[in-house]
Amino acid sequence: MKTFAHSIAVFILWFCFALPAVQAATELPSWNDSASKEKIMSFVQKVTQQGSADYVPPEERIAVFDNDGTLWTEQPAYVQLVYLIDRIKALAPQHPAWKNQQPFKGILENDMHAVAATGNQGLMAIEHAADAGMTTDDFKTSVTQWLQTARDPRFKRPYTELVYQPMLELLSYLRANGFKTYIVSGGGTDFMRPWVEKTYGIPPEQVIGSTDQVKFEMGKDGKPRLIKQGVINFIDDGDNKPVAINRYIGRMPILAFGNSDGDLPMLQYVSSGSKTNLVLYLHHDDAEREYAYDRQSAFGRLDKGLDEAHRHGWPVVSMKKDWNTVFPASQ
């Protein structure tokens, strides 16, 4: 009996020590067993293990993610731009002069090269025409209704289904390990907030993006409201991303994930922190399941950032090699 009892005790001890390894093997199921996955899981283990030199208390476990091209698709154009284009087309009957004015003429004729040629001024004109005069509540309703009906031209699915399953798993994995996850995106804050909590599990107060001017006024019904002015106030891209992190979070993140040169300053900023940190790039190299693009892309260009990642040894996640699936199953 003593030998049998000893064997049972040994088995129990083995099972207890083996269990974490079994659980770890089932984490991030849409990620292939690769160096990228290993670096992510090793990093999380180090910063969450109490007593280790790399331990980071939960309140300082901040992770920041770009949105377009990092959490959901951004090709053949940013989803918010598609929304604005659809809204301009819907408003066009009220503005007959648009037929002869760029960038509206290009939108109505589906000439995106002409739209792109108008540059930032053209984009600001589109933003102003689409949003000015709307209350923030009306804008939220407009975005929500559009996302319910709009479909991606290639995949024929709602845009909120063209989020990356491996990234959804990573967000959940980090939160399960005491991380607070934020979006830090060049996209509009007001555009993202209506849907990100349901889609990513990230509450609206943890969404940091570009903002436009909003004015408070009392309506004719005597109720207060916020009116969008159609004027861009802050573009949360490039060098402005670290500025926004400092302004709205107030803590140095220890993990950052992006996919373009616009995310490079954010990754550089996070990698400079004094605590153990991890910065990653997503490389779109899977034309069959999504898209393949980097240095020459009009949307989500990854050129200087790719060179910096290789120079500093930052993990570059290959969509083709590191992910066994891209999008969630159709709902």
Side-chain angles (χ1 to χ4, degrees):
M1 290 296 294
K2 183 177 180 180
T3 301
F4 177 76
H6 177 73
S7 298
I8 291 295
V10 171
F11 175 79
I12 291 173
L13 286 172
W14 173 85
F15 182 80
C16 290
F17 282 107
L19 185 58
V22 172
Q23 290 176 331
T26 60
E27 297 285 2
L28 307 179
S30 296
W31 292 71
N32 293 323
D33 292 331
S34 65
S36 295
K37 179 178 179 179
E38 172 59 31
K39 286 182 179 180
I40 291 171
M41 300 189 76
S42 174
F43 165 75
V44 171
Q45 183 178 19
K46 285 191 294 184
V47 299
T48 58
Q49 185 174 351
Q50 291 193 29
S52 76
D54 298 306
Y55 177 74
V56 176
E59 63 271 17
E60 297 181 24
R61 294 177 203 163
I62 304 295
V64 292
F65 290 80
D66 171 56
N67 182 49
D68 296 308
T70 301
L71 297 180
W72 74 347
T73 188
E74 65 181 356
Q75 296 287 347
Y78 298 129
V79 178
Q80 185 174 355
L81 178 57
V82 179
Y83 162 77
L84 291 172
I85 288 172
D86 283 355
R87 181 153 173 79
I88 291 298
K89 290 180 178 180
L91 293 172
Q94 304 172 33
H95 302 274
W98 284 358
K99 294 180 180 179
N100 300 307
Q101 296 176 358
Q102 293 292 7
F104 310 108
K105 184 175 185 291
I107 289 175
L108 298 176
E109 295 176 354
N110 294 314
D111 184 356
M112 291 302 104
H113 291 291
V115 176
T118 64
N120 288 334
Q121 285 189 330
L123 290 176
M124 287 188 285
I126 293 170
E127 178 88 19
H128 183 271
D131 296 352
M134 294 182 74
T135 68
T136 52
D137 287 341
D138 287 343
F139 182 77
K140 178 180 178 179
T141 298
S142 174
V143 170
T144 302
Q145 291 178 344
W146 181 81
L147 287 171
Q148 290 173 349
T149 59
R151 297 293 182 268
D152 176 83
R154 174 182 172 186
F155 297 104
K156 313 301 182 185
R157 296 178 63 177
Y159 288 101
T160 48
E161 289 186 11
L162 296 182
V163 296
Y164 303 134
Q165 179 62 30
M167 299 303 286
L168 295 180
E169 294 169 3
L170 178 56
L171 289 170
S172 295
Y173 174 62
L174 291 172
R175 289 192 289 264
N177 283 278
F179 280 77
K180 196 171 185 178
T181 53
Y182 286 80
I183 289 175
V184 181
S185 171
T189 300
D190 289 344
F191 180 79
M192 293 183 285
R193 281 179 171 169
W195 54 270
V196 293
E197 187 163 26
K198 180 179 179 181
T199 303
Y200 301 138
I202 297 176
E205 65 269 20
Q206 289 167 217
V207 175
I208 301 168
S210 297
T211 57
D212 56 5
Q213 294 181 17
V214 175
K215 180 181 179 181
F216 172 85
E217 67 176 39
M218 297 299 295
K220 294 181 180 180
D221 57 2
K223 296 181 179 179
R225 57 184 188 170
L226 297 174
I227 307 296
K228 294 175 72 68
Q229 303 299 295
V231 178
I232 296 175
N233 182 53
F234 179 80
I235 298 177
D236 187 31
D237 195 33
D239 292 350
N240 280 341
K241 287 200 172 189
V243 173
I245 290 170
N246 178 70
R247 178 181 299 165
Y248 296 109
I249 301 178
R251 291 184 186 273
M252 170 70 82
I254 61 171
L255 184 148
F257 210 136
N259 80 292
S260 72
D261 285 355
D263 303 314
L264 179 57
M266 178 172 73
L267 271 64
Q268 291 172 322
Y269 177 62
V270 173
S271 69
S272 71
S274 60
K275 298 184 183 299
T276 300
N277 56 67
L278 178 66
V279 297
L280 309 98
Y281 261 124
L282 174 60
H283 189 197
H284 292 261
D285 57 358
D286 194 333
E288 181 177 347
R289 296 186 299 175
E290 200 238 15
Y291 296 96
Y293 60 97
D294 44 43
R295 298 183 188 275
Q296 302 300 320
S297 178
F299 298 102
R301 177 175 296 173
L302 181 59
D303 183 19
K304 183 179 179 181
L306 197 58
D307 293 337
E308 287 295 297
H310 292 320
R311 181 176 298 114
H312 297 291
W314 299 340
V316 177
V317 175
S318 164
M319 181 176 286
K320 186 174 184 178
K321 297 177 181 178
D322 291 329
W323 291 357
N324 58 62
T325 190
V326 175
F327 301 122
S330 298
Q331 299 178 1

